[in-house]
Amino acid sequence: MEPPQNSRLISSVKIMVGLGEEYGVSASQSLEGTGLKLSDLADERSMVRSAQELRVIDNLVTALPNAHGLGLRAGKRYQLTTFGIWAFAIISSPNLRAAFEVAARFTDLSFVLIHFSLVEDDTNAKIMMDVDHIQEHLRQFVIERHLAVLLTLTREMMGEACVQPHEIRLTLGEFPAAHLSEFLDPKRIHLDAETNCVIYDKAALEVASPKANAATAEFCIQQCEELLNKRVAQSGFSGEVRGLLLRRIANVPTLEAGASHFNMSPRTFRRRLEQEGNSYRTLVEQTREGVAIELLGTAKLSVESVAERLGYAETSSFIHAFKRWTGQTPAKYRKRG
């Protein structure tokens, strides 16, 4: 599994550069090898790729090998305004379950580098945090940062009625849990686990949020959809490839066939997309998701018809893919509309 390839605003990079400066790491050192210039930090509209953000993290970790809890310190600097409309869509949700669905659906609008998923059994709800795609020496920082962000957003959403996880399991061998004492009892954190996950009582997902606002949530989700559509409808070579995929959506060409269509070798084809912060697999997923949402919402086609038009041999395969894209089943998405 590859790291997320979505572009994101430079806000997150600015936070980490600022953190580095407090430890004596210059902005130039933090940006080394990223292709970013110091002038980019001054433009709030600047966009960066996830690979560039990971390089900044790499530079910090390399320059500050003894700065324990660096990821936690970074994560605690992220505020609602840092995440923009994505965060406001989350905290205006009616409960944690809805919030997790919104977060997963619009992850590409965030600074998330971890692959999140929600797994439930009879009593527990686990927020799984997959970091297998992250370079091993960066995982400590990435896990720390994302855990701090998750707990911050949860507290912002639930306020005084904050629903704390009853257990956090981390694959890490060490963790400065004291830095999270304002969020939860450090004794709830267990290290050297097989997976990274934040565990809630299943019933906690349905606890009403005191900040829930249906009108605000609807507006924020609409804004997220519009922003995501603008980013997906890319220009440049990625836009040309997306155009090909839209024309061939029922029979998506392989990477090799796509490269041949543009008279390129697969290697050149792949490199051209990587230069724009994309991958062929990402474009295929984004295009299928966009068409599926349009057919379900606007055209009001049945789930079976949409699956057929997208080239899925089995409707169950389409349902599984749609849930991976949006965090909910096609039927649940249709009811939401």
Side-chain angles (χ1 to χ4, degrees), residues 305-317:
S305 295
V306 175
E308 181 180 356
R309 282 164 172 74
L310 291 180
Y312 286 91
E314 300 290 338
T315 301
S316 58
S317 298

Side-chain angles (χ1 to χ4, degrees), residues 90-319:
I90 290 172
I91 67 167
S92 57
S93 299
N95 52 44
L96 285 178
R97 180 184 297 283
F100 290 140
E101 290 176 352
V102 169
R105 180 180 173 193
F106 298 111
T107 297
D108 280 354
L109 299 180
S110 72
F111 307 111
V112 171
L113 296 168
I114 284 176
H115 293 299
F116 283 97
S117 60
L118 176 63
V119 177
E120 300 179 58
D121 57 29
D122 292 339
T123 58
N124 294 322
K126 300 179 182 179
I127 308 300
M128 309 299 298
M129 302 186 293
D130 179 12
V131 293
D132 287 346
H133 55 289
I134 302 292
Q135 291 177 279
E136 189 169 355
H137 70 291
L138 304 181
R139 292 177 184 174
Q140 178 91 28
F141 184 103
V142 171
I143 290 172
E144 288 183 7
R145 192 185 84 169
H146 287 69
L147 182 57
V149 168
L150 171 64
L151 294 176
T152 297
L153 289 179
T154 302
R155 187 171 66 175
E156 286 284 352
M157 175 182 174
M158 302 305 293
E160 295 300 321
C162 183
V163 178
Q164 292 193 1
H166 66 73
E167 185 179 356
I168 294 177
R169 299 175 188 169
L170 302 174
T171 57
L172 305 176
E174 59 176 349
F175 185 80
H179 288 287
L180 293 180
S181 58
E182 72 268 39
F183 293 107
L184 78 166
D185 183 349
K187 293 179 181 179
R188 299 186 184 188
I189 300 177
H190 303 277
L191 305 181
D192 295 314
E194 293 184 0
T195 59
N196 297 290
C197 62
V198 181
I199 305 176
Y200 292 88
D201 290 324
K202 189 173 181 178
L205 298 187
E206 310 299 338
V207 174
S209 168
K211 295 187 178 181
N213 185 301
T216 300
E218 182 178 0
F219 171 77
C220 290
I221 289 175
Q222 181 181 359
Q223 293 298 305
C224 284
E225 288 176 339
E226 291 179 2
L227 183 56
L228 191 58
N229 287 338
K230 287 179 181 178
R231 292 192 185 179
V232 169
Q234 302 168 67
S235 58
F237 185 60
S238 296
E240 294 181 40
V241 174
R242 185 169 181 269
L244 169 65
L245 294 174
L246 285 170
R247 295 191 297 272
R248 301 276 297 278
I249 196 65
N251 186 23
V252 170
T254 63
L255 184 147
E256 291 73 18
S260 178
H261 176 84
F262 291 99
N263 298 313
M264 297 178 182
S265 69
R267 182 178 180 181
T268 300
F269 181 72
R270 190 180 294 110
R271 186 174 67 249
R272 284 286 301 276
L273 290 175
E274 288 175 348
Q275 288 172 347
E276 296 184 358
N278 258 316
S279 71
Y280 188 63
R281 179 179 177 180
T282 297
L283 286 176
V284 169
E285 293 283 280
Q286 290 177 343
T287 305
R288 280 175 167 161
E289 177 185 356
V291 172
I293 288 174
E294 185 69 19
L295 294 178
L296 285 168
T298 304
K300 305 297 183 182
L301 296 183
S302 69
V303 175
E304 292 76 16
S305 295
V306 175
E308 181 180 356
R309 282 164 172 74
L310 291 180
Y312 286 91
E314 300 290 338
T315 301
S316 58
S317 298
F318 165 65
I319 293 174

